[in-house]
C-alpha cells in the first residue's frame, strides 16, 4: 500500500498539491545538490521531477539557467539508480530546445544506447533523437541516415517479429522508406497481406497503406487489395474491423452493394456498450448516408435507439443520419427531438445539424417552412462564427432553391444583422439584400435595415450597406429619390471607402441611365483582382500615352460552386484563409517564364486537363489548352511509368485539320521514371477567318529513349528515337469563351444593347428533356449560366436559359435561349455581343 | 531500436496528403493531458507542433475540453475539430486527443493503457494526491506509451515492465516527499543513509 498520508496534509484538504507553490529559482537552487558526493538518488530524483513539472506547467526557463541545470544534471549519469537515470533522459528531452550545449550528453546517451541494460536502451535513443532533432547535428544525422538505410533489412525482420508493437513500427517505417516507390509498396503489401500479422495496429496501418495505394492507382473493387481490406471486416479485433469498414466507406467509387458488408459491421457496433465504438460507427454511417442514403436505411432502427444516447455527440450524429435516410414524414418528429437538446451540444455538432437540415431542404423542398423556422430560432441562440455562418449559408441556400421562401428568409436575415458581431456575415447578407431585395414585391421595407447599418456599424459593413442601397436606387425608380437622400448622408461618412462609394453611386444614379446602372452598380468588374493589380503595376512601371485598357486584364475565373460534400464534422482550419492565386494565375506565371511565349499578351483561358492516353499505358499524357488573344499554347503534362527507361527531348507533334499554324515546339528535356514533365506547342489562330474556332489535331509524342537499370536509374550511353501515337485533341468554341457571372442578367442585356443582335431557331431532335438540353448547351458553349437559369423547374414545358461570357479579345457576349419541349426540344437562340464576330461564331457553332 | 528513425521520418511527414486518404503515418496521438477536478493541468503533452503551439492556446483548449466533458462521463467527444477520448477517476481526468480522421479505437487503446498502467503504479488509488506523489512514475509511464505522437506501447504490463518503477524507491520516495513538505530535510538525509 502507498504510505498513509500525513495528518497535517489531510487538514489542508484534498486540494493540496506538493508542487503548487514551486518557485523556479528555489528549485534551481536545490539543483546544486546534484554536485554533492555521494549522489543522493532520491533527492535528486525529486528535484528532477519538480523541474519537469515546472516545464510542463509552462514555466519559462532562460537559456543560461537551463544550461546550468543541465550541466549539473549530467553528473547524475554517475549514479546507477535506474529511475534517476530514466528521469535524466526525460529532462534531456524536455530541455533539449531551451538549453544550449545539450550535445555534451551525447556520449553518455550513446553509451547507454549501445549498452547491455535493456531498460536504458529505448529511452536513451529517444532522448538522443530529440537532441539531434533540435540541434540538427550534421554528423549525427548522417550517421542515422546510414543506420536507417541499413535498417531496411532489419525492419523487414522486425516486421515479422512476435512483439506486436515492433511489428507495427517496422511496418510504418518500411512504408515511409518506400512510399515514393509504388511498386515496392505494392510488393510489401502483397507480402504482409499474405503472411498475416499479429498486431492490430499493424493491420490498421496495412489497411491505410492499401487504401492509399488503391486510391493512387485508381484500382477497382476487383483488386486483391480491396479483397484484403474486405477480409479485415472479419478480423477478431474491433479496431481492425472498424478501420476496414471506414476505409471502404471512404473509397470514392464504392457502390451501395460493395458498401453493404461494411455497413453491416457498423450496424453491429451501434449497439456496442463502448461509447467510442458507437460514436465511431454512427459517425461513419453518417458519411455513408451523404452519398448512399439507401445503403444506411437498414440501420434506421439501430439509429433510432441512439437518439436517446447519453452521449449527445452520438445522439446528434444519429439524428442527422436519420434525417438523411428517413422519409419526409419523419422530418417533423426528428426536428422536434433535435430542438430538445440543441443547446447541450458543442458548436461543431450544431454545424453538423445545420448541414443535415441544409441537405434535407434540397431533398424535401416542401418542408422549407419548418426548416426556416428552426433555423431562425438557431440563429437567435448563442454560438460561434462557424455555427452562425453555417446557418446563414443554409438560409441563403433555401432562398435560392425556393423562390416562395425568399421573403421570409430575407426577413430572418434582416433581423439577424440588426445584432451581428461578425463583419463577414453582415457584409455577406447586405450583398444578398442588395441583389434580391430590389426585385421583391415590397423593396422599401429592406431600406430601413440597410440604412441602420450605415448608422451603427464598422467601416466594412457601412461600405457594404452603401453598395446595397445603390442597387435599390438603380432598380426601383420610385425609391430613387429617397435613396439619393440617404446617399447624400453617406457622403459625409468619416471613412474614406464609405464616402468614395457613396459619391460614386450618387453620381451614377443621378445620370438615370440603365446602361450605366448595369455596368457600374449591378454587375461590377469581372476581371481577376490579382491580375488587375499586376497589370496596373506593370502600367505604372512603363507609362505610355495610351490609356490603361481593361481588356488586357485577365478575367476572374468563376469559382466552380463547390459541392458541400463533406458534411461530417470537419476540422475547422486554424489558418486564416489567404487569397490563393487561382489556377489560371499559376499557369500565367509558368507560361510567362518561357521565352517563346513572351509577347502573347495576357492568358485568356486555360482549359481543364484532357487525357490523351488510356489510364494504364506506358506513358500518361494530359493536355491543358491555354488560349491567348491570337494564339493557343498546348501544355502536355507527360509521365513516364516505365522504370527501365529515361526519355529525352520529348515533344508532341501536332497536325491541325484547319488552317491553324504550329509555330514552335518546346520539348521536355528529360522525362525520368515517374517524374512528370511538360512540353509545349505554340499555335497561331487563323487570322483570315475569325469564325474558324474549332479544329482537330492529331498528336504524336516523339522522343529519344535511353534504357536504364531499373534499380539504380543509371541510363545507357546510347539511345534511340521512338514515337507514341496519342489520341486526337479537339479545340472547340468553349476554348475561346471565358465564363463571366452577371448577377443581374437583365441589366447586362440592356447594357450590351441590340446593335449586334442575332436570332435563330434550332430543333434539337435527339434531346428528350429540358434538363438535358440545358446541360448540353452550357457545356458546349462553355458560358456561365446566370440567374440560376440552369435549373429547370419540375413539370415545365418551356424554359429560358441565360448565359454570359467574354469572347477571346475581351468582347462581352450574352446568350438567351428559349427552350420549348414538344417532341424533341425547340430552341430559339438570341445572341448579343459587343462585336459582330463572336455573335456569328456562336450561331455558326450551334447550327 | 526503431525510434531514431521514426523521428528522422518526421521530416518527410508534413507533406500535404492528396486525395481522400491521409498519408499513412505512425503519428497517431496529437496530445495527451491529465487535469484535476478544477480543470488544472497536472501533466500535458502536445505532440503536433502545429496544434496549439503556445501555452495560452493549450490552456484555452484544455479549459474548453474540461468544461464540455467533466459533467458527464461520455468517453468521447468532438471538440475544436479534434477527436477527444477521455476517462475520469475520482478527482482526475485523463484525455487523449487525435485528428478527426483517426481511428477512435486506437486513441481509446492509448487512453486505456495509460489508465491501467497508472492504476497499477498507484495501487488502484487513481487520485490526484497519489498521482502527484508519484509524479516521476507518471512521467515515465507517459514516456513509454507515446513518443512524439507515435504509440510505443499499448499493453500496460509491458509498460510497467519497461518503466520498472520499484516499490522500494516508491515507498522511500513517499517519505522524501513528506519530508519535503514538512521541511525536515535533515531527517530525510539520515534515513537515506539508513536505507
Amino acid at each position: 500500500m502507498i504510505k498513509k498520508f500525513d495528518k497535517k496534509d489531510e487538514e489542508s484538504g484534498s486540494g493540496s498539491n506538493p508542487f503548487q507553490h514551486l518557485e523556479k529559482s528555489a528549485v534551481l537552487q536545490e539543483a546544486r545538490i546534484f554536485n554533492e558526493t555521494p549522489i543522493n538518488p532520491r533527492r535528486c530524483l525529486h528535484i528532477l521531477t519538480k523541474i519537469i513539472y515546472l516545464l510542463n506547467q509552462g514555466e519559462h526557463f532562460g537559456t543560461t539557467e537551463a544550461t546550468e541545470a543541465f550541466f549539473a544534471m549530467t553528473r547524475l549519469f554517475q549514479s546507477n539508480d535506474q529511475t534517476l537515470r530514466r528521469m535524466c533522459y526525460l529532462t534531456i528531452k524536455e530541455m533539449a530546445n531551451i538549453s544550449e550545449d545539450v550535445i555534451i550528453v551525447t556520449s553518455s546517451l550513446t553509451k547507454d544506447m549501445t549498452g547491455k541494460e535493456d531498460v536504458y536502451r529505448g529511452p536513451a535513443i529517444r532522448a538522443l533523437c530529440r537532441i539531434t532533432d533540435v540541434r540538427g547535428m550534421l554528423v549525427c544525422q548522417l550517421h542515422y541516415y546510414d543506420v536507417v538505410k541499413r535498417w531496411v533489412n532489419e525492419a523487414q525482420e522486425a516486421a515479422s517479429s512476435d512483439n506486436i508493437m515492433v511489428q507495427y513500427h517496422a511496418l510504418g517505417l518500411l512504408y515511409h522508406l518506400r512510399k515514393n516507390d509504388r511498386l515496392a509498396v505494392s510488393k510489401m503489401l502483397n507480402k504482409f497481406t499474405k503472411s498475416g500479422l499479429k498486431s492490430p495496429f499493424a493491420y490498421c496501418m496495412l489497411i491505410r497503406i492499401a487504401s492509399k495505394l488503391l486510391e493512387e492507382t485508381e484500382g477497382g473493387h476487383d483488386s486483391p487489395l480491396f479483397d484484403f481490406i474486405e477480409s479485415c471486416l472479419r478480423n477478431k479485433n474491433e479496431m481492425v474491423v472498424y478501420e476496414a469498414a471506414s476505409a471502404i466507406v471512404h473509397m470514392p467509387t464504392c457502390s451501395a452493394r460493395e458498401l453493404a458488408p461494411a455497413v453491416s459491421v457498423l450496424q453491429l457496433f451501434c449497439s456496442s456498450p463502448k461509447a467510442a465504438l458507437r460514436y465511431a460507427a454512427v459517425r461513419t454511417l453518417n458519411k455513408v448516408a451523404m452519398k448512399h442514403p439507401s445503403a444506411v436505411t437498414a440501420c434506421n432502427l439501430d439509429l433510432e435507439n441512439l437518439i436517446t444516447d447519453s452521449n449527445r455527440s452520438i445522439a446528434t450524429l444519429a439524428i442527422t443520419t436519420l434525417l438523411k435516410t428517413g422519409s419526409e414524414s419523419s422530418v417533423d418528429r426528428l426536428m422536434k427531438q433535435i430542438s430538445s437538446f440543441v443547446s447541450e451540444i458543442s458548436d461543431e455538432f450544431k454545424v453538423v445539424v445545420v448541414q443535415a437540415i441544409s441537405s434535407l431542404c434540397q431533398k424535401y423542398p416542401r418542408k422549407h417552412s419548418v426548416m426556416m423556422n428552426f433555423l431562425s430560432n438557431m440563429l437567435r441562440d448563442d454560438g460561434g462564427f462557424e455555427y452562425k455562418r453555417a446557418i446563414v449559408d443554409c438560409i441563403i441556400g433555401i432562398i435560392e432553391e425556393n423562390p416562395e421562401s425568399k421573403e421570409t428568409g430575407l426577413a430572418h436575415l434582416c433581423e439577424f444583422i440588426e445584432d451581428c458581431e461578425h463583419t463577414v456575415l453582415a457584409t455577406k447578407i447586405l450583398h444578398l439584400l442588395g441583389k434580391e431585395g430590389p426585385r421583391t414585391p415590397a423593396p422599401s421595407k429592406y431600406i430601413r435595415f440597410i440604412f441602420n447599418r450605415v448608422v451603427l456599424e464598422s467601416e466594412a459593413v457601412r461600405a457594404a450597406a452603401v453598395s446595397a442601397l445603390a442597387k435599390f436606387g438603380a432598380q426601383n425608380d420610385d425609391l430613387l429619390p429617397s435613396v439619393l437622400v440617404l446617399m447624400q448622408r453617406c457622403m459625409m461618412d468619416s471613412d474614406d471607402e464609405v464616402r468614395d462609394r457613396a459619391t460614386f453611386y450618387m453620381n451614377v444614379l443621378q445620370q438615370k441611365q440603365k446602361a450605366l446602372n448595369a455596368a457600374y452598380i449591378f454587375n461590377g468588374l469581372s476581371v481577376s483582382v490579382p491580375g488587375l493589380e499586376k497589370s496596373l503595376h506593370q502600367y505604372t512601371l512603363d507609362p505610355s500615352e495610351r490609356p490603361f485598357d481593361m481588356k488586357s486584364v485577365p478575367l476572374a475565373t468563376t469559382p466552380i460552386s463547390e459541392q458541400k460534400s463533406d458534411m461530417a464534422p470537419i476540422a475547422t482550419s486554424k489558418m486564416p484563409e489567404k487569397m490563393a492565386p487561382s489556377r489560371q494565375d499559376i499557369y500565367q506565371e509558368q507560361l510567362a517564364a518561357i521565352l517563346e511565349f513572351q509577347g502573347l499578351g495576357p492568358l485568356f483561358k486555360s482549359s481543364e486537363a484532357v487525357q490523351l492516353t488510356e489510364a494504364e499505358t506506358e506513358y500518361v499524357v494530359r493536355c491543358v489548352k491555354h488560349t491567348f488573344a491570337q494564339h493557343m499554347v498546348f501544355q502536355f503534362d507527360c509521365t513516364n511509368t516505365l522504370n527501365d527507361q529515361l526519355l529525352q527531348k520529348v515533344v508532341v507533334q501536332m497536325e491541325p485539320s484547319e488552317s491553324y499554324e504550329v509555330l514552335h515546339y518546346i520539348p521536355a528535356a528529360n522525362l525520368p521514371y515517374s517524374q512528370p514533365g511538360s512540353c509545349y506547342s505554340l499555335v497561331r489562330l487563323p487570322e483570315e477567318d475569325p469564325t474558324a474556332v474549332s479544329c482537330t489535331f492529331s498528336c504524336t509524342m516523339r522522343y529519344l529513349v535511353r534504357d536504364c537499370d531499373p534499380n539504380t536509374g543509371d541510363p545507357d550511353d546510347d539511345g534511340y528515337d521512338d514515337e507514341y501515337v496519342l489520341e486526337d485533341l479537339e479545340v472547340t468554341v468553349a476554348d475561346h469563351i471565358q465564363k463571366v457571372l452577371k448577377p443581374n442578367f437583365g441589366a447586362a442585356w440592356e447594357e450590351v444593347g441590340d446593335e449586334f443582335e442575332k436570332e435563330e431557331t434550332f430543333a434539337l431532335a435527339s434531346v428528350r428533356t429540358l434538363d438535358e438540353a440545358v446541360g448540353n448547351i452550357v457545356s458546349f458553349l462553355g458560358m456561365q449560366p446566370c440567374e440560376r437559369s440552369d435549373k429547370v423547374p419540375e413539370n415545365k414545358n418551356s424554359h429560358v436559359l441565360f448565359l454570359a461570357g467574354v469572347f477571346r479579345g475581351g468582347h462581352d457576349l450574352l446568350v438567351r435561349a428559349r427552350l420549348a419541349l414538344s417532341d424533341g426540344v425547340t430552341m430559339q437562340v438570341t445572341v448579343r455581343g459587343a462585336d459582330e464576330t463572336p455573335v456569328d461564331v456562336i450561331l455558326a457553332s450551334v447550327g | 531500436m526503431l525510434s531514431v528513425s521514426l523521428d528522422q521520418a518526421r521530416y518527410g511527414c508534413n507533406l500535404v496528403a492528396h486525395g481522400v486518404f491521409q498519408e499513412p503515418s505512425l503519428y497517431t496521438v496529437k496530445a495527451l493531458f491529465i487535469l484535476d477536478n478544477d480543470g488544472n493541468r497536472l501533466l500535458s503533452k502536445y505532440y503536433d507542433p502545429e496544434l496549439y503551439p503556445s501555452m495560452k492556446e493549450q490552456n484555452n483548449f484544455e479549459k474548453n475540453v474540461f468544461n464540455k466533458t467533466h459533467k458527464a462521463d461520455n468517453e468521447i467527444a468532438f471538440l475544436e475539430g479534434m477527436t477527444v477520448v477521455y476517462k475520469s477517476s475520482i478527482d482526475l481526468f485523463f484525455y487523449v486527443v487525435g485528428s478527426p480522421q483517426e481511428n477512435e479505437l486506437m486513441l481509446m487503446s492509448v487512453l486505456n493503457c495509460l489508465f491501467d498502467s497508472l492504476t497499477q503504479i498507484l495501487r488502484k488509488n487513481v487520485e490526484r494526491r497519489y498521482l502527484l506523489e508519484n509524479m516521476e512514475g507518471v512521467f515515465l509511464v507517459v514516456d513509454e506509451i507515446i513518443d512524439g505522437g507515435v504509440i510505443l506501447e499499448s499493453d500496460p504490463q509491458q509498460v510497467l515492465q519497461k518503466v520498472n518503477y520499484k516499490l522500494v524507491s516508491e515507498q522511500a520516495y513517499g517519505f522524501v516527499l513528506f519530508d519535503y513538505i514538512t521541511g525536515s530535510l535533515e531527517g530525510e538525509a539520515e534515513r537515506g543513509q539508513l536505507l
Side-chain angles (χ1 to χ4, degrees), chain A residues 271-284:
Chain A
S271 45
S272 160
K274 295 177 196 160
L277 193 51
R278 294 199 301 278
Y279 172 89
V282 68
R283 198 164 91 96
T284 314

Side-chain angles (χ1 to χ4, degrees), chain A residues 5 10 16 46 56-57 82 86 93-94 125 151 169 175 208 212 215 243 276 283 348 574, chain B residues 1 4 18 20-21 23 41 44-45 50 80 100 102-103 129 133 143-144 147 151 164 173:
Chain A
F5 226 71
E10 205 85 303
S16 74
H46 190 54
N56 212 275
Q57 291 294 324
Q82 271 193 10
R86 298 288 310 275
K93 276 174 74 170
E94 296 291 334
I125 294 173
W151 277 0
H169 297 149
Y175 174 71
R208 287 178 199 186
K212 187 83 192 158
E215 184 190 39
E243 186 74 40
R283 198 164 91 96
E348 278 85 352
K574 289 189 294 161
Chain B
M1 272 291 269
V4 170
H18 296 286
V20 185
F21 293 103
E23 184 66 53
R41 163 193 285 201
S44 79
K45 298 292 250 171
E50 281 164 31
E80 300 193 16
E102 196 45 75
N103 186 328
R129 66 178 199 206
E133 263 184 69
D143 187 55
E144 283 300 342
D147 184 60
I151 305 176
N164 198 16
Y173 170 54

Side-chain angles (χ1 to χ4, degrees), chain A residues 1-3 5-6 8-10 14-20 22 30 40 42-43 45-46 49-50 52-53 55-58 82-83 86-87 90 93-94 119 122-123 125-126 129-130 132-133 141 144-145 148 151 154-155 158 163-166 168-170 172-173 175-176 179 201 204-205 208-209 211-212 215 238-239 242-243 247 250-252 274-277 279-280 283 310-314 346 348-349 569-572 574, chain B residues 1-13 15 17-26 28 41-45 50-53 55 68 74-81 83 85 100-106 108-109 121-123 125 128-130 132-136 139-140 143-144 147-148 150-154 158 161-166 169-178 180-182 185 188 192 195:
Chain A
M1 277 302 286
I2 276 182
K3 168 190 106 62
F5 226 71
D6 190 71
K8 237 184 192 171
D9 217 47
E10 205 85 303
S14 65
S16 74
N17 176 349
F19 300 106
Q20 198 156 35
L22 280 188
E30 279 185 85
N40 182 332
R42 266 160 242 114
R43 281 181 65 186
L45 185 60
H46 190 54
T49 310
K50 284 197 259 189
I52 297 181
Y53 187 87
L55 282 168
N56 212 275
Q57 291 294 324
Q82 271 193 10
T83 314
R86 298 288 310 275
M87 285 304 276
L90 266 190
K93 276 174 74 170
E94 296 291 334
V119 227
I125 294 173
R126 295 202 294 273
C129 239
R130 192 63 53 87
T132 53
D133 218 29
Q141 298 272 11
Y144 293 142
Y145 188 70
V148 171
W151 277 0
E154 286 184 34
N163 181 319
I164 60 168
M165 289 320 279
V166 171
Y168 167 54
H169 297 149
L173 176 61
Y175 174 71
H176 185 79
K179 67 180 172 192
F201 292 98
C204 290
M205 189 61 150
R208 287 178 199 186
I209 299 172
S211 357
K212 187 83 192 158
E215 184 190 39
E238 282 168 344
M239 189 199 290
Y242 170 63
E243 186 74 40
H250 284 96
M251 282 178 194
K274 295 177 196 160
L277 193 51
Y279 172 89
R283 198 164 91 96
S310 61
N311 185 322
R312 287 309 188 197
S313 308
I314 296 178
S346 66
E348 278 85 352
F349 279 104
I570 34 165
T572 43
K574 289 189 294 161
Chain B
M1 272 291 269
L2 290 168
S3 47
V4 170
S5 50
L6 295 182
D7 255 282
Q8 294 286 315
R10 173 174 309 167
Y11 291 106
C13 273
L15 293 170
H18 296 286
V20 185
F21 293 103
Q22 306 266 312
E23 184 66 53
S25 145
L26 291 171
T28 310
R41 163 193 285 201
L42 299 178
L43 177 154
S44 79
K45 298 292 250 171
E50 281 164 31
L51 180 80
Y52 309 120
M55 190 54 68
K68 294 269 164 59
N74 275 333
E75 196 172 294
I76 186 159
F78 185 75
L79 294 162
E80 300 193 16
T83 301
V85 294
Q101 287 83 26
E102 196 45 75
N103 186 328
E104 289 85 349
L105 303 183
M106 270 197 188
M108 269 319 274
S109 76
I121 280 199
L122 303 176
R123 308 284 143 137
N125 297 301
R128 181 172 176 274
R129 66 178 199 206
Y130 295 108
L132 285 169
E133 263 184 69
N134 292 277
M135 209 55 202
E136 76 276 33
F139 285 133
L140 292 177
D143 187 55
E144 283 300 342
D147 184 60
V150 178
I151 305 176
L152 292 184
E153 190 50 75
S154 67
Q158 291 285 331
Q161 202 182 330
K162 284 183 190 162
V163 169
N164 198 16
Y165 193 69
K166 276 186 196 139
S169 70
E170 179 186 48
Q171 274 183 338
Y173 170 54
F175 286 111
V176 177
L177 184 63
F178 161 68
Y180 169 73
I181 294 162
T182 54
L185 282 168
E188 187 276 334
L195 275 171

Side-chain angles (χ1 to χ4, degrees), chain A residues 283 287 348 351-352 355 386 389 565-573, chain B residues 78 80-82 100-101:
Chain A
R283 198 164 91 96
K287 289 218 180 90
E348 278 85 352
V351 174
V352 177
Q355 285 166 340
E386 290 295 331
R389 184 170 71 173
S565 54
D566 206 359
M567 296 208 190
I570 34 165
T572 43
S573 150
Chain B
F78 185 75
E80 300 193 16
M82 305 300 284
Q101 287 83 26

